Amino acid sequence: MATNMIGSSKAPELSMTADDAAMIDHLPAEQATALARSLQRQERQLIARKVLSAARIGHAVYDEMLLSGHQTNAHTTGAVDKAATGKVSTALGVSVPHATAWMTLSFLLSTLPTVTAAFLAGDQSLDRIRIIANEIGVLSDDDVRAFAETRALQLAERNQADTTLRDQVVEMVIALDPDGAADRREEAAARDQNVRVRRDTNGHCSISVYAPGEMGAHLAARIAKMISERICPRDPRRQGQVQVAAFAEIQGLPGAQLSCECGRADCSRAIPLPEEPSGLTDLDIDVDGVATDPSDDVDADADVTDDPETITDDADCAATDAVEAQPDTDTDSDSQLSLSLITDPSGQREARLEYFGVVDDAHARSLISSGQLVTVTEFPTLDIPSINTTTSLDRIPAAWRRLDDPFPATPIDPTGHGGHFLPPSGALTYRIPAWLREKIIELDGTCRYPHCGRPASECQIDHLVKFVHQDPITGGWTVEFNLMPLCTPDHQRKHMGLLIPTMLSDRAVIWRDPVTGETITTYPR
């Protein structure tokens, strides 16, 4: 079907009849899965051809205007671009931004033959192709760009979130062209920085800001800090509602104040009434450091009695020791907030800014020189094999090295003892020490469940093999190779037994479907 489309004057049409719908409705799950995967691939192939065909419509306008010797005037900037995108917009009945995005992608793909082939074959989604093209299409050296194409597509094959893929590809581009990355950051500041507030439906608006990464990171950190200090897990609102309430207070909306709405008189995070002394008492931070969705109130390992007020939660048992001081509501939160800039003296990894991601060297230096905005820490030592490459690199991202490991990783022992014969110090204690929690966060980077990109700092730290409180030596131990970050919903899915995890010696995790036997592998960031 996809092959016949090119060169045919009549585009094929797909339709589903009532008989098709009835047939699908009665398919066994295995056959439905196979059909959905086949249709997904066909859909991607059609989208690729749609994007390239849309771009050809625009390019025809370019050619026509150039041949006619069209002259622009002072009152019409970018006339050719506007004509081309306008033609695509009207021809296909889409918005101008959509038409512009398709034409931009087509232009980038013109220098990326390997990525284009994968796009046409339906190997990757439009979103993943766009991520790869946007990031590596800026590389000017042909050999370097071709090298990056292969690497990026290998990373795209992994069962990880699009946000994780973007982070890895950005790290790759910085390693390949650090000076160019710094230049492009400065160019983007001059060209694209903006704040837009648009009216939306139901009395709401949408706010979009294109700003330096540290500004977004600082805002995200402030919101997370406010929620962790003031909102308990029993607050009935969705997480998004709580975040908007925090943002309202941060921006100084008159009368806006973030406070817990659980309604419990003994809520430890309630803001005291004005006549009471200021300050919060009995701070109880969740293991993931932020308030959770009400639907995720109780961890999957929790023992819930018949009394809904009595809950023993893994999150409570595993609360980190890292936060000991009580928050002082009389002190400006900005003065207390310092983001973590994580560097790697060994040169294996690019610097990372907490709540943002990878940054280039020049950006990292500017953050360090900015004063109290960041606190500099170091990555844990990584034991990653070296690779051979014809490309000259000062740094080689860790994710690449795992792609070329000549010695396949092997499973860690299934007992959950992490390869230890005797339990090391702390292995038989359920509570995870702060230093080990931070190490797991930095090693793994994100939630380890398939296709989840939730930052590890916002996740719970889960024992792959369950810790046995009654007899700790018989269950999984609190050791590095029996711990991984899982966001609350995925933590619960794991304990439902939908997928069974096994960790490998390189911290890859193989998830096995106990019904079909199929496996999915996830990797550290």
Side-chain angles (χ1 to χ4, degrees), residues 293-305:
D293 224 29
S295 62
D296 300 328
D297 193 339
V298 182
D299 180 27
D301 282 342
D303 298 323
V304 183
T305 68

Side-chain angles (χ1 to χ4, degrees), residues 94 119 175 215 334 397 403 454 456 460:
V94 298
F119 192 26
M215 291 182 63
D334 284 346
L403 293 174
R454 185 75 175 261
Q460 299 175 359

